[in-house]
Amino acid sequence: MKDIVDTMADLRINDFVIKIGNVNGTGSASANGLLMKAIFRMGVPVVGKNLFPSNIQGLPTWFEIRVTKDAYMARSGAADLVVAMNAETYKRDLAEVSPGGFLLYDDTWPRPELHARTDITAIGVPLARLCNAKFDNARTRVLMKNMAYVGAVAGLTGIDVSIIKAMVEEMFGSKPKLIDANMTAINLGLDYVRQTYPEPLPLRVQAMDATRGNVLIDGNTAAALGCVYAGATFGAWYPITPSTSLMDGYKSFCEKFRVDPETGEKKFCIIQAEDELASIGMAVGAGWNGARAFTPTSGPGISLMSEFIGFAYYSEVPVVLFNVQRAGPSTGLPTRTQQCDLTLCAYASHGDTKHIMLFPANPAECFEMAVQSFDIAERFQTPVFFMTDLDIGMNDWMIPELEWDDSYQPDRGKILSAAELEELPKYYRYEDRDGDNIPYRTVPGVHPKGAYFTRGSGHNWKGGYTEDAAEYKEVLDRLTRKWEDSADAVPGPVIIEASKPTNRAIISLGGCDGAVREALDRLAERGIELNYMRVRGFPFSAEVEAFMDSHDEIFVVEQNRDAQLRGLLINETAVDKTKLIPVLDYAGMAANPAFIIEGVTAHLVAEEA
Amino acid sequence: MTSMSKPLIDKHLPRNKLNLTVRDYEGSMSTLCAGCGHDSVTAALVQAFWQLDLPPHSAAKISGIGCSSKTTAYFMGQSHGINCVHGRMPSVATGANAVNGDLHYIGISGDGDSLSIGFGQFAHAIRRNLNMLYVLENNGVYGLTKGQFSASADIGTKSKKGIANEQSPIDPCVQALTLGAGFVARAFSGDKSQLVPLIQAGLMHKGFALIDVISPCVTFNDHAGSTKSYAHTFKYYHPLVHTDFVAHHEEITADTSEGGAITVTMHDGGILKLRKTDDDYDPRDRAQAIETLLLGDRSGEIRTGLLYVNEDMADMHAANHLPKTPLNALPYEALTPGRAALAKLQGRWK
Ligand SMILES: Cc1ncc(C[n+]2csc(CCOP(=O)(O)OP(=O)(O)O)c2C)c(N)n1
Ligand code: SF4
Ligand SMILES: [Mg+2]
């Protein structure tokens, strides 16, 4: 029996981070998922971040589980218990353990160098030896080593093993042999640590009741569900990380809910296109033909789609683009997160184009805003960008269970029926009959009177070809007004007031939300009070502008190098740019509060100096 | 310049079963050069549709960019049309078709539009067996950008300035055959009697129907030394098989007994009657079709007609198990799983 730590002074209950270093392709994802979900099922809020390489097998990958009794939504940046399962990264993993923390490693082979740090405790568990003695097959040994560390971590931190067992049973339902093997491996790790280290770590998971009514879900899955509930029937795509799982989700939900059990007919169509030049064209074709159509992609895909985006904008075809952003430029860091396509999407395509964007902050908003995106696209007859990112899209987030209101009816916008066309003396596609900058559209095949010619070339309000300056300008100006009007239709900002009056504020968007809220708490503890506005749509509404007007110093927190949100605020509002201070994080990691606290305090210190 | 409409003088014109004259199938006035082959193709499309007694709004016209692609504005003004971006008509057609398979999709493209910038989309629409008529108005040059060689230019063909092309051409028909198209034809804008029935047959074919129409550009590629000029095409033009399209079973009975004729029943009820010429060519034989085209290449002969037809292929709709009611006509109630299903589904994320 060994003592792990000499003092129990810093007992930390439900407030620490487990970070597991693995080799990609060794089946560690399900082991890490088990750990995270077991904590969640114990009623303790969790934040999970998967840090994976652009690789199928062999490169290092990490998984962070933040146990957070306060239900913070961001990474903390700490690593209190590092499970080092990848010899390649031992050095880095050792260095990353937070002071006072722990390193768990496989001591089948002695690793004296892992005991080099005096401010942390290294814990050896002979995972390979234990598994090799129990399992014959090489692949099984690798997989079971993962389960063995699940058992060890559970034993050391007090995660309820009966919950893990229930999950293993769910996972392998009809395959009792697999349940047995996995439980055997889990118990190997568990028993070993219990015997060797009878005193658990001061990092402790204790049952709470703070996750009831919540789910653990990733944003792409939630957005896919939103597409289904919005009544989208057509999706075209070309595979690209991190958007692929959105279409995978849409497909699996449609297979579940939209296939006629008798005829086998599918009430949806998914086309895997030859490239993004085509996937957007397909979505535009389907939108033009009256279906709710979408395409999920990421930055490189948006670049290829550019010309069609301008076409759809100018010819007024509704279509929804899900941009699951990843770090650029070029191929960039395809498995890392950023908010780096704000400028690109705001003005995508050549010529005078401006688009509508929605900025979900978490999977709950992904579900909600996916539905809104289709409503807005059809109401305004234009492309809508749903701007999510890898962090939101691919990580599991704890959110309140999704709700649906059965009274929802899609806002199809102005589409003329055959009967309405029959009544009409003459139909003109771009006639602003209602004076609200939105013309009426017709669906092909409905009525001969509804026929019109859709063109990306210069057209007048009748839809006819024109090169006439005044006629061209008339349509273009209406498009500007239409876009401006959409500011009131996109989701409004969320504003959180500080507990004391202040003329300072933070503006942020999307997945930074969790980190900002936590930073606000920390800064308030230091006496720095800040109001907070999270923008959720573009164009910016009057409320966004008013918020900026009422503050003298505003930190604009975002995840890109070039302060793109700040740029849009300056470009599209009358704000005095000198009061917008950029706080930027663009290294590709999910946002954590540290960079915000640092950015804000550094500025304030400089100001005082 | 704005689009012009034509004067109406259709009092004495014959009417089809829908009581419509050919004028009802026309579009706005063409703005192409006088004598451009593309205008003849437009006229053939008008006639084909009128003869088939199809309501004009049952068609959707889709095109890319080029002189050829402009022509979707010049026929069937009572159908929806979409003139999208260069080389990407097939993708728009794919999306449109997926959500409503009940319309007749007519894609118009050029050799530049289909064989260079749009080569990928052309190929993949064929692979998907998209149910559409794809008319490639082939003039060997980029007309709209003023006469550069296109990828269909033959080796040795001369530009207006006398420079010979040295790169090997892409033959859209050979490509379509190797990619698995179920309807491949070649025609000439100068022979309406051949083109009209081919258009009708292509419209009725359930699946991808390609008609590569040699359609001379009078302005940039109609000179001596060009292999896509009127003179050259007339000289080497060689129909391999004569095609008649009869829309209804009953009307054909008297003719089927004719010696050497091949009849093919189309999906939508019509019948194709293919009369052989001396060549003993059977357009149901894909290998023969490819071989014949490749040999034709060497002899200089431009072999035309319905080169290959296969009515037994599953189209994109069938492959995707799409419903009889078009996706764009399904009521929302048929699409939403509802509140209770959402609550139940979420058990997996707890
Ligand atoms: C992306 C893009 N690149 C280039 C062009 C310029 N462009 C317009 S038409 C054309 C070629 C058209 O050739 P083809 O399809 O053969 O049509 P034709 O005019 O010969 O009928 C080109 C290159 C364009 N419109 N879009
Ligand atoms: S340039 Fe050539 S292809 Fe274009 S309209 Fe004139 S003749 Fe026709
Ligand atoms: Mg051409």
Side-chain angles (χ1 to χ4, degrees), chain A residues 229 258 266 274 307 402, chain B residues 88 128 321 332 335 346:
Chain A
Y229 276 82
R258 296 251 192 100
K266 297 183 171 181
E274 51 271 35
E307 190 180 6
L402 301 172
Chain B
R88 282 156 278 176
R128 286 185 193 102
H321 307 283
Y332 177 66
L335 301 172
Q346 291 180 89

Side-chain angles (χ1 to χ4, degrees), chain A residues 234 269-271 282, chain B residues 90-101 124-132 206-208 313-322:
Chain A
F234 183 83
C269 182
I270 298 170
I271 306 267
M282 291 172 187
Chain B
S91 60
V92 174
T94 304
N97 188 310
V99 303
N100 182 6
H124 287 274
I126 295 173
R127 286 188 61 231
R128 286 185 193 102
N129 201 16
L130 179 60
N131 185 14
M132 73 179 297
K206 198 165 182 67
F208 191 90
M313 292 165 61
D315 75 344
M316 187 182 84
H317 266 254
N320 284 284
H321 307 283
L322 295 180

Side-chain angles (χ1 to χ4, degrees), chain B residues 308-332:
Chain B
Y308 179 67
V309 63
N310 177 354
E311 279 300 293
D312 300 324
M313 292 165 61
D315 75 344
M316 187 182 84
H317 266 254
N320 284 284
H321 307 283
L322 295 180
K324 277 200 194 66
T325 309
L327 292 177
N328 72 354
L330 288 172
Y332 177 66

Side-chain angles (χ1 to χ4, degrees), chain B residues 110-112 137 139-143:
Chain B
D111 40 330
E137 303 184 356
N139 53 17
V141 288
Y142 293 0

Side-chain angles (χ1 to χ4, degrees), chain A residues 141-154:
Chain A
R141 286 174 171 174
V142 171
L143 291 173
M144 292 310 157
K145 225 165 77 170
N146 297 329
M147 289 301 160
Y149 77 66
V150 168
V153 170

